[in-house]
Amino acid sequence: MTTPSQPADTRPTAADYYAVNRGGGLFSEAVSQRIGARIAVQAHKHHLSPTVMTVFNLGLGVLTSFLVIAAAGPVADGSVWAAPIGLLALIGWQLAYAFDCSDGQLARVTGQSSPAGARLDVLCDVAVQSSLVAALAATAKAQEPDTPAWLLAAFAATWMVNLVTSVMQGGDQASSMVSSRALPVRAAKLIRDYGAVVALAGVVLTVAPQWTVWFVALFTLINGGFLAASIAFTGRAALRG
């Protein structure tokens, strides 16, 4: 294990950081966690703690969402171009997620893990994802004023299924309904890959913000369906003892 005071050539490499943080989905592994590993290298080089990376995730993610919310009305009425706002969302949310990946990588490789740090990470993830949901809901409502309130509420409620189930996967009792890592299975699971879903949200906001309501409806169905399937799967396992 290295420390920040050690010579540069003995510091962990991006490959070292990447190796300790695999999972989350095909897109997250291929893109987000690789970027996170490079951020971790620079953080270690500049003696930054994992908590600093967590706070960067919080600040960048919430700020990006705030700007999308502020621009929702102007984009809908045509006074602001959609493309720059969408690109801001695409890059800002992806970079925030990369910082989220980097904090765990840095903590594990440098031996700075702590229960408080893990709790802070989860709480910041909740804050960022809540702001992201608010941004997408605000855009959907601005683009389609007749969007039902119940749909936006259901979208917000079911979105957190991803975060809750990912936290549950970290314990000794973790299990998966489909554990295969075959490429077709992993490709199908992209609909549950946070990095891929957020990238899709950014693309929709960039290319066709009027489709945001369909994005909201689609992922309400996906996350609601996954919640129902998870309850059935876990309930069956519980009955078996």
Side-chain angles (χ1 to χ4, degrees), residues 175-177 227-241:
S175 62
S176 175
M177 289 187 290
L227 175 60
S230 296
I231 291 171
F233 175 80
T234 306
R236 183 179 180 185
L239 288 173
R240 289 178 173 177

Side-chain angles (χ1 to χ4, degrees), residues 126-217:
V126 171
V128 171
Q129 294 196 35
S130 295
S131 72
L132 186 150
V133 166
L136 293 173
T139 301
K141 188 66 174 178
Q143 291 288 331
E144 296 288 344
D146 293 333
T147 301
W150 64 261
L151 175 59
L152 300 179
F155 173 63
T158 57
W159 181 272
M160 289 302 165
V161 172
N162 280 339
L163 184 57
V164 171
T165 53
S166 67
V167 171
M168 292 171 66
Q169 286 296 317
D172 294 336
Q173 303 302 316
S175 62
S176 175
M177 289 187 290
V178 182
S179 58
S180 171
R181 287 185 61 82
L183 184 57
V185 173
R186 300 188 70 206
K189 285 185 173 183
L190 281 171
I191 60 171
R192 303 252 320 129
D193 182 331
Y194 179 76
V197 172
V198 173
L200 177 59
V203 170
V204 169
L205 293 179
T206 302
V207 177
Q210 68 273 19
W211 294 351
T212 306
V213 66
W214 294 105
F215 178 97
V216 165

Side-chain angles (χ1 to χ4, degrees), residues 101-115:
C101 294
S102 73
D103 62 8
Q105 295 170 334
L106 184 63
R108 292 182 183 95
V109 172
T110 61
Q112 299 180 70
S113 300
S114 70

